[in-house]
Amino acid sequence: MSIFKNLPVAPVAPKKPVTDTRHGITRTDDYAWLRADNWQAMFKDPSILDPEIRKHLEAENAYMKAAMADTEALQKTLFAEMKGRIKEDDSSVPMKDGPFAYGTFFVTGGEQPRYFRIPRDGGERTVLLDGDKEGAGKAYFRLAGIDHTSDHSRGLWGYDDKGSEYYTLRVRDLATGKDLEDVIENTGGGGAWAPDGKSFFYTVLDDNHRPSKIFHHIVGTPQSDDRLVYEEEDPGFFMGVGGSMLDDFIYIDIHDHETSEYLLIPTSDINATPQMVSVRETGLEYSMTEGGDVFYILTNADGAKDFKIMQTPVDKPGRENWTDVVPHTPGRLILSHMAFARHLVWLERENGLPQIKIRDRRSGEEHAIAFAEEAYSLGLSGAGEYDTDVIRFSYSSMTTPSQLYDYNMATRERTLLKTQEVPSGHNIDDYVTRRVMAPSWDGVEVPVTLLYRKDVALDGSAPCLLYGYGAYGISIPAGFNTNCLSLADRGFVYAIAHIRGGKDKGFQWYEDGKMEKKTNTFKDFIAAADYLNQQKFTSYANIVAEGGSAGGMLMGAIANMAPEKFKGIIAAVPFVDVLNTMLDDTLPLTPPEWPEWGNPIESRTAYERMAAYSPYDNVAEKPYPAILALGGLTDPRVTYWEPAKWVAKLREKTTGSEPILMKTNMDAGHGGASGRFQRLEEIAFEYAFAIKVAGKM
């Protein structure tokens, strides 16, 4: 019996069959018409969307609104709770850089951050960029931050006002607060200043939303006069540009999901031809940070699957000159690194838990910053200056609010700078966080992080929100999240399944959840649900699954594989039309994604593998649980038509009585709403769905 009552008639998308034959295999797609032919132009001007498509999306939104009408009061309550846990006028601890210290703050009621600086040792705060002012009157507005010149006179800032992730760059005089006439369109959102502050480098996105070119802009000249520095011919690679901390080099970083390449421009000659460090070699990854007379290189070279740190002379950076500094240790995954005048620092993960390691560059002595909780999260901020002994890091757990520390690498002294405030109150002792291991289909143990109130009865009756992602090697941290307390306080067990496809247990964990091993990701998530059911943390009848983007693919897959084990499913911007998307090489992310999923255009094996698990292609006649799909009209990563097509097919095929709902944000893209409180409204909506489905309203 469905908990959803008195629903209106659900929208029915008309069928307009389109056939496609590849490798001698013919497939028919009844809902291909939902993909706008003019999607490139529509991302920049959503008003030109085909009226028939718009009408269908709006009908879906109306149906969703009717189905969720009885949760509107609950949504407001949840939003108020979540907002009450946020310090509305919160401010970051400024980070020192030269004569100033830079930070951000919010004002009460404000949606957007404000960037500020103060004199290095304290004094009056100067607002450099007011996000609320810049975004006033816009349905969507997201800042890309502001980067200052070495002499602190100018700032480069960017914004996206459509959700399509085409950023406009502006140059601001930091003394007057006024923008210069320079307007740089269609960029990736950031840039790298030349040391003299008179020019900068930036990335341009092409019509298919790919970062294909790096330009050099001289302040005061039109964008049309900008010099092309580098053009990437391979559409399968991402590209970015940045500057070294010592202002010696401009880095051009080119990479896909398994291969890296760096080019260097010495700032002593900004018109020089970019110098190659190590030519791209499939499977070789590396990233660089400057250490004065050497570069430190984090790499998987020489079979270092979990990465090692090497060094090479600045004047001879080629691969033939790389030598080991921090050797490879199997099972200890080095995630990131940074260098300072006297210390080398890196963030690593072992046995699923992170720690920060410090190495004295002169003596070679190493020590760790570690913590004792069963599951926790660390963030490494580093420092704004090279010649320093003090770095900054953050610590939190599912029960412990975020704490920000300064750490003296020489004296090993920690200084607590700030503890996250929860204005409405938070008693750590009311909650339990645990790390349990769920055996998967092949005996591999999958870590699952749990948060619940101490007074919850663990007899199978508790509802559970089970979250998963499992792709691109991205690990889901067990950090403090004030929003999920609203579920815990209603008796939910909040669970994160650290499934294969992430790097939670090392690089092998990632490899065992991609390409031909992709289905391990889905089976691991189902195994987590099985374990929570068997151990009576919850029961199948009480589990609501949630995942977004590639985690939305996970949601679509488990809906097809084990619909009976979930009471409901929330799929945010879900990558569910996997095969069609990977066959469409005009889409922004398709060529760069082939190393993750395979290339079904060239490979029949990859085609058949994707066809076997692609959620959209495997929707069948079976009783699906209640499903909520969320999309963004201008999303360039997971296009709006993926959830739209999936929902149309699910509704056609399901033999059950539970509704299939879709909400399309007509003013946003992949990240959802842009303001901090607008985002909370979306989370409150998702949680209201989970609470309703679990019968806990």
Side-chain angles (χ1 to χ4, degrees), residues 467-529:
Y467 178 86
Y469 187 74
Y472 308 119
I474 294 172
S475 302
I476 305 301
F480 189 64
N481 175 355
T482 58
N483 297 329
C484 65
L485 297 175
S486 285
L487 291 177
D489 288 346
R490 285 171 174 79
F492 273 72
V493 172
Y494 185 88
I496 301 170
H498 303 278
I499 51 187
R500 281 175 279 191
K503 290 179 185 168
D504 305 75
K505 291 177 72 173
F507 197 84
Q508 189 67 47
W509 200 246
Y510 168 42
E511 289 193 325
D512 286 345
K514 65 182 288 198
M515 299 292 275
E516 68 278 359
K517 298 180 180 179
K518 186 64 219 169
T519 56
N520 282 336
T521 302
F522 317 142
K523 293 173 181 177
D524 285 357
F525 190 84
I526 293 169

Side-chain angles (χ1 to χ4, degrees), residues 658-670:
E658 297 294 349
I660 311 295
L661 306 177
M662 183 174 74
K663 177 183 180 182
T664 303
N665 189 326
M666 305 298 278
D667 296 311
H670 195 69

Side-chain angles (χ1 to χ4, degrees), residues 156-175:
L156 181 66
W157 68 282
Y159 65 89
D160 167 21
D161 59 6
K162 295 180 179 63
S164 58
E165 299 180 41
Y166 283 103
Y167 284 86
T168 299
L169 296 180
R170 301 298 308 268
V171 177
R172 178 157 295 191
D173 183 313
L174 298 184

